[in-house]
Amino acid sequence: MRSADEHLQHIYGLLRPPVPVTVSLEDALGLVLAVEVRSATAIPPFDNSAMDGYALRAADAPGTLTVVGESAAGHPWNGVLAAGQAVRILTGAAVPAGADSVVPQELVTRDGDAVTIPGATASGSHVRYRGEDAKPGDLVVPAGVELRPRHLAAAASAGVATLEVWPKPRVAFLVTGDELVAPGEPLGPGQIHESNATTLDTALRALGAVPVDLGTVGDAGDAVRGAVEAADADLVVTTGGASVGDHDPVKEGLADAGVEFVRVAMQPGKPQGAGYVGGTPVICLPGNPVAVAVCVELFVGPAVRALRGVPEPAWEPMPAAVAWRCPPGREQIMPVVIEAGAVRPATTGGSGSHLVARLAAAEALARVPADADAVEPGDIVMVRRFTA
């Protein structure tokens, strides 16, 4: 058996490096920046006023000055201020040539074209200088950032209209099983409601991928292979039918197509597969719902983040609040809740792969090494909150 970390490295090795694309600012939200943004202009591009008031020479205050014009945002006063003169100025408007400070309007008295400045003012008061925020060529947004509105606003302010980003990967998925019935439909003998498609569709969206639902495929290997071969995707994920039973259609359909099926030393999620079908990377997960949720966190999420250019979130050490048992020889991936900086299993059923109805109680996963047969209160385990 290979370890979960070894299996993840194998999956990483299957992925094709993404190719950046150029998009408008409006289409960049949520994408990851591939090429850093540097300012195309000075920000601000000219000296401007931080207040409504009067632009003047600091050397003329205090005193009574003659108002010779007005500078408003987008409508600068184009003259040159002389000694004894002031210009009415509004917030954001260009400071006229010759002026070196702005006095707020509430501090002055105006009478017609005369404005009285009662006290001294320092040179540079209430002036935002050209390039104070950024100079041409300064770094504004670094590569690797998942773009949010504040990043796009900064790029726009820097005069940048388009961005080079990593595109959202298309990830196709299919589920298998003749026993599966859509949620809301009545159950017949031996049937269960299907949940893995919901897990994958919503998880892929949360991870920043474009999900492509290939549907539910019955227990027939040729149907599985046909669906995977026809998928237009950067990655395909299957669930179920990957073990050693008599009715394992994923293994039957894909083993000869380029997918290697292995046992991974983990609980839940031992039966796994990974490889290529027609040049497309394929990850084959077990079918039990909790195993699928766990494998999304350990394998699918990292693959999507790698395709998006997103770094992998760290696992953090936390103490166990209670004791629990572990499977010998396999790393245990335990759904847990976090209370007062410590963790405990989210359910009394532990990490059983069938306990999907109780999965909603969990807020994180804890990893217990394969050489541990039990966790005692205070033992340190590696924990990460769900990323999808």
Side-chain angles (χ1 to χ4, degrees):
M1 286 193 290
R2 66 171 57 145
S3 70
D5 287 339
E6 290 170 337
H7 191 57
L8 176 58
Q9 293 305 313
H10 178 69
I11 289 171
Y12 279 148
L14 299 173
L15 304 176
R16 303 283 195 263
V19 177
V21 297
T22 301
V23 300
S24 67
L25 296 181
E26 292 77 12
D27 293 332
L29 182 65
L31 299 178
V32 176
L33 190 64
V35 177
E36 65 189 14
V37 174
R38 293 188 174 272
S39 184
T41 64
I43 308 175
F46 50 84
D47 296 350
N48 69 88
S49 177
M51 303 286 288
D52 288 352
Y54 291 85
L56 47 83
R57 303 189 329 163
D60 287 341
T64 299
L65 311 178
T66 301
V67 179
V68 294
E70 178 179 276
S71 183
H75 302 280
W77 184 74
N78 293 319
V80 178
L81 200 68
Q85 294 180 334
V87 167
R88 169 68 170 155
I89 194 166
L90 303 178
T91 301
V95 175
D100 61 11
S101 67
V102 173
V103 176
Q105 63 184 20
E106 58 268 25
L107 300 182
V108 307
T109 302
R110 182 166 178 176
D111 183 10
D113 290 337
V115 60
T116 300
I117 314 299
T121 184
S123 178
S125 294
H126 305 298
V127 175
R128 303 165 177 159
Y129 286 104
R130 179 181 186 276
E132 181 179 305
D133 189 10
K135 296 178 175 58
D138 279 358
L139 179 65
V140 176
V141 188
V145 168
E146 186 168 353
L147 294 164
R148 310 308 305 165
R150 64 184 183 278
H151 303 120
L152 301 176
S157 296
V160 175
T162 61
L163 302 173
E164 290 189 60
V165 299
W166 302 115
K168 290 186 175 184
R170 289 173 54 85
V171 182
F173 64 92
L174 64 82
V175 298
T176 61
D178 289 338
E179 78 279 14
L180 301 178
V181 175
E185 296 296 323
L187 295 176
Q191 294 182 323
I192 61 172
H193 283 124
E194 196 286 308
S195 65
N196 288 339
T198 299
T199 296
L200 289 170
D201 181 79
T202 54
L204 290 169
R205 293 179 193 277
L207 291 166
V210 177
V212 180
D213 189 352
L214 301 180
T216 300
V217 180
D219 289 336
D222 56 351
V224 171
R225 181 164 179 167
V228 172
E229 288 179 336
D232 176 18
D234 301 297
L235 175 68
V236 176
V237 180
T238 71
T239 68
S243 190
V244 293
D246 294 333
H247 301 285
D248 287 314
V250 172
K251 187 172 183 180
E252 175 189 333
L254 302 184
D256 292 337
V259 176
E260 178 187 12
F261 289 86
V262 297
R263 292 183 301 164
V264 177
M266 59 185 286
Q267 185 205 46
K270 182 168 68 173
Q272 301 275 344
Y276 293 113
V277 174
T280 300
V282 179
I283 302 174
C284 300
L285 308 181
N288 284 317
V290 175
V292 171
V294 166
C295 291
V296 164
E297 291 295 323
L298 265 66
F299 305 126
V300 177
V304 171
R305 284 188 283 271
L307 291 170
R308 295 187 63 219
V310 176
E312 191 64 7
W315 293 76
E316 300 179 357
M318 286 190 181
V322 299
W324 70 80
R325 302 293 299 174
C326 309
R330 287 194 285 165
E331 181 182 17
Q332 184 184 48
I333 316 298
M334 174 69 78
V336 295
V337 295
I338 301 173
E339 296 176 342
V343 299
R344 63 170 177 81
T347 75
T348 57
S351 56
S353 61
H354 62 294
L355 300 173
V356 66
R358 303 178 190 178
L359 185 62
E363 55 188 303
L365 295 176
R367 302 181 73 162
V368 183
D371 59 1
D373 57 9
V375 172
E376 300 297 334
D379 285 353
I380 299 299
V381 294
M382 300 306 291
V383 179
R384 189 173 74 185
R385 293 182 182 273
F386 285 102
T387 61

